[in-house]
């Protein structure tokens, strides 16, 4: 979630990342993708498929950054 926020110029504070991560998790489950998880310091971090991030951006009519433009399902 933090990397997507960074690429897209979205807020990167902890609360915003929690919301974004939750939305990406829900979308991942909806699309049938597994979510990889790890611990980063005291935080649980989710790793989302690039396609899920692209679908999220499209849903909210946000610009697709160059790193995700050619991502396919």
């Amino acid at each position: 979630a933090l990397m997507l926020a960074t690429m897209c110029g979205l807020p990167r504070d902890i609360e915003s990342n929690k919301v974004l991560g939750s939305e990406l998790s829900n979308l991942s489950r909806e699309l049938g993708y597994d979510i990889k998880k790890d611990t980063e310091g005291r935080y649980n971090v989710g790793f989302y498929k690039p396609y899920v991030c692209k679908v999220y951006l499209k849903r909210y009519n946000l610009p697709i950054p160059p790193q995700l433009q050619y991502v396919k399902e």
Side-chain angles (χ1 to χ4, degrees), residues 5-64:
T6 301
M7 286 191 301
C8 297
L10 301 172
R12 298 176 353 158
D13 59 277
I14 293 172
E15 285 305 312
S16 297
N17 276 333
K18 280 184 181 180
V19 172
L20 179 57
S22 177
E23 291 181 12
L24 290 171
S25 292
N26 292 337
L27 185 56
S28 292
R29 285 189 280 282
E30 180 184 320
L31 296 173
Y33 287 101
D34 290 333
I35 303 164
K36 304 282 186 206
K37 295 199 177 217
D38 199 359
T39 303
E40 186 73 31
R42 62 181 194 188
Y43 301 104
N44 290 324
V45 178
F47 296 93
Y48 306 97
K49 299 286 185 188
Y51 178 73
V52 172
C53 295
K54 187 173 182 178
V55 169
Y56 172 83
L57 295 172
K58 284 184 174 184
R59 272 196 185 173
Y60 291 99
N61 294 317
L62 297 169
I64 309 295

Side-chain angles (χ1 to χ4, degrees), residues 7 67 70:
M7 286 191 301
Q67 299 92 327
Y70 299 104

